[in-house]
Amino acid sequence: MAPGSLVLLLSILGTPGLADPGPLEDVVIDRYYIPKICLREVQMGDFIRYHYNGTFKDGKKFDSSYDRGATVAGVVGVGRLITGMDRGLQGMCVNERRHLIVPPHLGYGSIGVAGLIPPDATLYFDVVMLDIWNKNDKLQITTLSKPERCNRTVENSDFVRYHYNGTLLDGTPFDSSYSKNGTYDTYVGTGWLIKGMDQGLLGMCAGEKRSIVIPPFLAYGEKGYGTVIPPQASLVFSVLLVDFHNPKDGVFLEHLEVPESCKRRAVTGDFVRYHYNGTLMDGTLFDSSYSRNHTYNTYIGKGYIIPGMDQGLQGVCVGERRRVVVPPHLAYGENGAGDKIPGSAVLIFDVHIIDFHNPEDPVEIETVYRPEGCNVTTRDRDFVRYHYNCSLLDGTKLFSSHDYEKPQEVTLGTNKVIEGLNRGLLTMCAGERRVLIIPPHLGHGESGARGVPGSAVLRFEVELISMEEGVPEGYLFIWHGEPPANLYEQMDLNKDGEIPVDEFSTFIKSQVAEGKGRLMPSSDPEKVIADMFKNQDRNQDGKITSEELKLKSDEDREKIHEEL
């Protein structure tokens, strides 16, 4: 008979009537180690796993589970163990150690076991209890910690990513995801896991920690698993659910803050500037535009960003704060990205929309105030004075004419201001106030300017202070009627046959004063006159001769003739 069968012999071999009971009436039990925590004690009908050494009184070993390298498993109180062991194991806790003295009538009696245990032998056992379970046991789930917010819990067919430490019931570790530097990723309820884990993960929140005690019949049963999980072993898993999703999931949106006024919402083809923090479901930050002090700028709905964000940014308002939860099949899939986004990871983006526009957008003009009786409005080439405040759409102030001593001055249509502002200043009356929304293609473009971010939509509050009628492009002075027939003679005030700059200047000023013509509007009329003189002084000798003096209209006709 094999030694491993000794303790498992049916108790018929040890029927009390077959041997002298000896000096001991019953099993002597010495509980020499009792764990501080004892969640369960062995009862009749329980299935147990234990290690033992068996010796005689003189210390000679007759059997040992340690020598065989395998624990003993069996049911207590159903006659499958010798009566002394059945009694001696009652009430034991997991990890408890006992010395048992079993008298012959509770052991193998007067028959013994041939060649191994003599008749009427008293047996000494040193036992450590490793596992206890019962066929009526259920999964034991203890919630160790749970997030305050839990919008969704695990259901069958969900794909989960979790960390775990796996131990036997006595605390012996057999596996850990932490040692592999990666989560365990799998579907729930589809047979990829042992039944106990399939059940134990249901109802969990992302970020929740659980202890799951699984009886053998919901784990690896009679076969165990390899060399690390013995047959009939209860398993204890300490689980941290990192994230989960379902393959049918779409993008989940949470509107954290929506401005009261939202005149327009972003659609496919719009160019959006936004800040974001990107985290995994357990809160691990993987990216942030704030850390770069620069918005993320992109078109939406055109495949420039992950599909989940393409969808998640649809319909945003300027100034809106939105949470976008993106399942992995709409993000970076099974492969992840770099060393910060694991495979099959759910991504959470907390987004703040700074502005957006469409490449086809015009200048948006809102008239805040328009004086009554407004008959004269600005046109290209007019000289205007205006005050302005310039800001981004999120309210960030950029520039203001009020910071200077006088209003801004510009001749419209001369490319001295951004195109959007030039358009917004057209058709205004003196005293009129407007709000202008200028898209970047009519502002400072993709590159931006000093103090202006690239691709930024600008908001201008403008007030037209005054306006002066301009002159056609290329002209510095125009006549209100026909110019004098003898222009040179009238301009040559001292009749010496040449016109120096002082005579030229005096004549032009007199024509303006008499209302016969007007200069190109400017904050510096003297410079305009000086430029006119320079244009007429062809040889730059400081005076104009009759051959040099030509009207702009005559010059234009000569150029046309030359081209013809």
Side-chain angles (χ1 to χ4, degrees), residues 37-50:
I37 298 175
C38 182
L39 301 177
R40 179 174 187 172
E41 296 180 348
V42 175
Q43 298 178 5
M44 297 286 283
D46 282 348
F47 201 106
I48 59 174
R49 282 194 317 108
Y50 59 95

Side-chain angles (χ1 to χ4, degrees), residues 323-334:
R323 177 167 292 161
V324 184
V325 182
V326 183
H329 52 276
L330 295 176
Y332 295 100
E334 295 180 1

Side-chain angles (χ1 to χ4, degrees), residues 47 59 82 110 120 123 161 172 181 261 338 360 369 397 473 475 524 534 541 548 554 559:
F47 201 106
I82 60 173
S110 60
D120 298 321
L123 307 179
R161 295 175 54 244
T172 301
N181 294 320
S261 174
E360 303 298 324
Y369 171 75
K397 295 181 179 179
E473 185 175 359
Y475 285 75
D524 188 359
K534 184 178 180 181
D541 63 353
E548 289 177 318
D554 292 337
K559 289 180 180 178

Side-chain angles (χ1 to χ4, degrees), residues 34 44 69 75 152 185 191 198 217 245 268 279 347 376 443 449 466 472 490 500 512 542 544 560:
I34 303 174
M44 297 286 283
V75 181
R152 175 180 175 181
D185 307 342
D198 258 346
F217 56 85
H245 72 280
T268 294
T279 61
L347 306 183
V376 180
S466 65
Q490 291 192 34
V512 172
I544 301 172
I560 293 172

Side-chain angles (χ1 to χ4, degrees), residues 230-515:
Q232 303 291 22
S234 300
L235 306 181
V236 180
F237 288 92
S238 178
V239 174
L240 168 62
L241 185 63
V242 175
D243 75 21
F244 68 96
H245 72 280
N246 193 282
K248 297 180 180 179
D249 283 349
V251 173
F252 176 77
L253 301 180
E254 185 177 353
H255 303 278
L256 304 177
E257 181 182 329
V258 181
E260 291 184 7
S261 174
C262 182
K263 298 179 180 179
R264 173 179 173 182
R265 294 180 178 272
V267 297
T268 294
D270 284 347
F271 190 88
V272 184
R273 294 195 316 122
Y274 60 95
H275 271 302
Y276 70 91
N277 285 320
T279 61
L280 305 179
M281 282 189 80
D282 64 356
T284 301
L285 183 71
F286 64 81
D287 194 17
S288 173
S289 63
Y290 295 99
S291 66
R292 295 186 290 275
N293 198 30
H294 194 284
T295 54
Y296 191 82
N297 307 333
T298 187
Y299 288 96
I300 62 170
K302 290 193 170 186
Y304 292 116
I305 49 180
I306 58 174
M309 284 299 281
D310 255 347
Q311 297 176 27
L313 292 173
Q314 296 284 338
V316 292
C317 301
V318 172
E320 181 177 347
R321 295 180 185 272
R322 177 181 285 193
R323 177 167 292 161
V324 184
V325 182
V326 183
H329 52 276
L330 295 176
Y332 295 100
E334 295 180 1
N335 296 325
D339 58 355
K340 293 189 176 180
I341 299 179
S344 301
V346 177
L347 306 183
I348 300 176
F349 293 90
D350 284 325
V351 174
H352 180 207
I353 306 301
I354 303 302
D355 66 33
F356 64 86
H357 72 281
N358 192 282
E360 303 298 324
D361 283 350
V363 177
E364 182 182 329
I365 299 174
E366 178 187 354
T367 300
V368 178
Y369 171 75
R370 189 178 179 93
E372 295 183 4
C374 175
N375 299 318
V376 180
T377 60
T378 54
R379 298 178 296 174
D380 259 344
R381 313 304 300 175
D382 284 353
F383 182 76
V384 298
R385 294 179 176 85
Y386 62 97
H387 272 302
Y388 73 90
N389 293 313
C390 176
S391 63
L392 301 178
L393 290 194
D394 66 354
T396 301
K397 295 181 179 179
L398 298 179
F399 314 107
S400 175
S401 62
H402 297 283
D403 295 335
Y404 303 95
E405 295 181 355
K406 57 182 182 179
Q408 186 80 4
E409 299 176 340
V410 72
T411 299
L412 299 177
T414 58
N415 297 319
K416 299 298 183 183
V417 294
I418 56 175
E419 179 60 23
L421 180 56
N422 192 90
R423 295 184 188 183
L425 290 170
L426 294 173
T427 71
M428 285 189 77
C429 303
E432 184 175 342
R433 296 195 299 273
R434 288 179 174 179
V435 173
L436 312 176
I437 305 299
I438 301 177
H441 52 275
L442 298 175
H444 292 286
E446 294 181 5
S447 301
R450 186 175 182 182
V452 180
S455 300
V457 179
L458 302 179
R459 183 180 190 274
F460 278 87
E461 298 172 351
V462 295
E463 179 182 7
L464 187 65
I465 305 302
S466 65
M467 55 181 287
E468 297 178 34
E469 187 178 1
V471 298
E473 185 175 359
Y475 285 75
L476 297 176
F477 176 91
I478 62 171
W479 299 97
H480 289 162
E482 289 295 324
N486 54 347
L487 178 59
Y488 189 84
E489 287 75 6
Q490 291 192 34
M491 194 176 292
D492 183 10
L493 301 180
N494 62 4
K495 309 304 180 183
D496 62 355
E498 57 186 29
I499 303 171
V501 67
D502 57 339
E503 282 187 339
F504 182 85
S505 178
T506 299
F507 175 80
I508 294 297
K509 289 177 181 178
S510 69
Q511 300 302 298
V512 172
E514 294 169 13

Side-chain angles (χ1 to χ4, degrees), residues 12 105 167 378 501:
I12 191 171
H105 67 282
T167 66
T378 54
V501 67

